[in-house]
Amino acid sequence: MDPYERLRQKLDLFPAGFPKSPETMDMLRLLFSAEDAALASRAPNFPLTQPARRIAARTTLGADQAAARLLNMADRGLILEYTILGTARYALMPAMPGFIEMQFIEPEKMQDPARRRAGQLWHQAMRGEFGREVFDFPTSSMRVIPVNKSISARQTVYSFEEAEKILRASGRISLTQCACRTSADACDAPRETCLMLNAGADYVGGRMGLARIITRKQAVAMLERAADAGLVHMTTNNRPPVQVLCSCCACCCTGLISVTQLGRPAAGIASNFRAAPMPGATCIACGACAKACPTGAITAPPKPAARTNKGNGGAPEHAPMPVVDADRCLGCGQCARACTRGAMALLRNSNKAPIPSTAHLWVQMFRDRGKLDRTLLALARDLIN
């Protein structure tokens, strides 16, 4: 079998797999040599790890050759390396979130034509089969966190819906570049906005050296700056501890592609809140809420003509209120943040809790995609072969 197809099939066993398309195959060819792809396809899928000699036994390489090549791929963020009881052990990591993002964090590396082309292919793939593999199922790997200041004071805010409380539940925090914006290069939004937490901080900031350690106070300040820039906070769809807290734009970030590019309802990634006009508030039809909405979910009312309400002493009539498309609303709060008149707010839409843990999230995603049995069989084969 072609080594790239064998690697793709192995990657497709992760919760959000790696479907075959011209874009995904070309991406593999740009990021892996044929020799690397052949060896990587023999590594077990995370969370199973194995030493180089065990992986080499499935190939024609000697243990030392395999160890050197595996270490090189780990250094490039293509596979995972763990040291357990003094022995280096290796595993395949998912394509996304996983090795793909690792390739596009460093802006200087995007000067390389092959790396730049791989980034373009990633974004093209996310608008096709790859995007549907990630987003066309009931359980999403990511969810939106609302901007706190925009939530109506009359609503109860649970701790898992607040970015600051996620940070308080995190032991280690590091800050890195947004791989989506670095690879797409389609907007002027801030790029050093991705927070890696806990094990994510250890890997991206420690093992890979692609992030800098920051304090919780610095992280909160960064989130505030990101919100001011119109970015949407997103994290994984499980309870803390989590490994990543992103600040996403609508034009570049793959986390929002399901709504902005694939036309999918926002419910799969939305927070427990939805934007709504505040009863009794005055809308001046400035359009700030519609402009701030990252998914185009809000239609601003037309500016009022020079009309008067004769029944109200000749005072100008109030403009109609904005209209919110509930299918496209993320519940991010950017509209309410932009409204200077308090005419928009986030109102609670549901009380859905995140999935208890990453393991539970993966199992649910496996079940959604009908691949749990197939993946368990592949892991068993790696264990006994």
Side-chain angles (χ1 to χ4, degrees), residues 39-303:
L39 181 58
S41 70
R42 300 303 188 183
N45 283 21
F46 179 82
L48 182 63
T49 64
Q50 290 177 338
R53 58 175 175 75
R54 182 79 177 274
I55 299 169
R58 304 186 185 107
T59 73
T60 59
L61 295 175
D64 290 344
Q65 289 177 296
R69 193 173 287 277
L70 288 165
L71 177 60
N72 179 267
M73 283 191 281
D75 287 343
R76 290 183 285 145
L78 292 171
I79 64 173
L80 291 168
E81 179 194 42
Y82 292 88
T83 300
I84 301 175
L85 298 178
T87 299
R89 299 172 69 93
Y90 298 92
L92 274 184
M93 70 171 104
M96 182 185 156
F99 75 82
I100 290 180
E101 289 92 338
M102 291 298 100
Q103 308 312 304
F104 307 120
I105 289 176
E106 298 175 276
E108 58 273 16
K109 288 192 174 180
M110 296 308 297
Q111 302 304 312
D112 175 61
R115 187 68 58 97
R116 190 162 58 249
R117 177 57 181 156
Q120 293 169 351
L121 289 167
W122 176 32
H123 288 272
Q124 291 172 16
M126 287 304 297
R127 288 159 173 79
E129 287 301 317
F130 194 14
R132 287 187 281 275
E133 165 69 15
V134 176
F135 293 114
D136 258 8
F137 295 89
T139 306
S140 171
S141 62
M142 301 292 288
R143 61 184 176 90
V144 168
I145 304 171
V147 178
N148 288 357
K149 288 184 178 179
S150 62
I151 299 172
S152 168
R154 293 177 293 179
Q155 304 297 314
T156 300
V157 183
Y158 294 143
S159 62
F160 63 76
E161 291 160 339
E162 295 182 311
E164 291 93 334
K165 291 188 178 180
I166 289 177
L167 294 177
R168 293 189 196 109
S170 301
R172 300 167 302 285
I173 305 171
S174 64
L175 180 64
T176 190
Q177 300 280 330
C178 172
C180 298
R181 282 192 289 283
T182 299
S183 56
D185 195 24
C187 72
D188 295 326
R191 293 189 180 179
E192 195 183 32
T193 57
C194 282
L195 295 173
M196 307 306 299
L197 312 174
N198 305 304
D202 293 340
Y203 176 67
V204 180
R207 172 65 177 84
M208 299 304 298
L210 297 175
R212 58 187 178 92
I213 299 297
I214 61 173
T215 65
R216 189 175 297 117
K217 183 177 179 180
Q218 289 171 321
V220 172
M222 188 284 298
L223 290 172
E224 186 72 16
R225 290 193 299 271
D228 287 343
L231 302 181
V232 176
H233 301 325
M234 298 188 73
T235 190
T236 49
N237 192 19
N238 55 275
R239 293 176 183 166
V242 299
Q243 295 189 45
V244 64
L245 202 168
C246 300
S247 294
C248 302
C249 64
C251 52
C252 302
C253 290
T254 55
L256 299 182
I257 278 178
S258 60
V259 181
T260 59
Q261 301 292 329
L262 297 178
R264 300 302 187 263
I269 60 173
S271 75
N272 279 335
F273 296 85
R274 294 297 182 274
M278 282 295 289
T282 299
C283 175
I284 61 172
C286 67
C289 58
K291 184 178 180 180
C293 180
T295 61
I298 298 176
T299 302
K303 284 189 175 293

Side-chain angles (χ1 to χ4, degrees), residues 1-4 6-7 28-41 69 73:
M1 182 187 293
D2 172 72
Y4 293 105
R6 186 165 60 233
L7 176 58
L28 290 180
R29 294 185 185 98
L30 287 168
L31 298 176
F32 293 81
S33 68
E35 295 78 11
D36 284 347
L39 181 58
S41 70
R69 193 173 287 277
M73 283 191 281

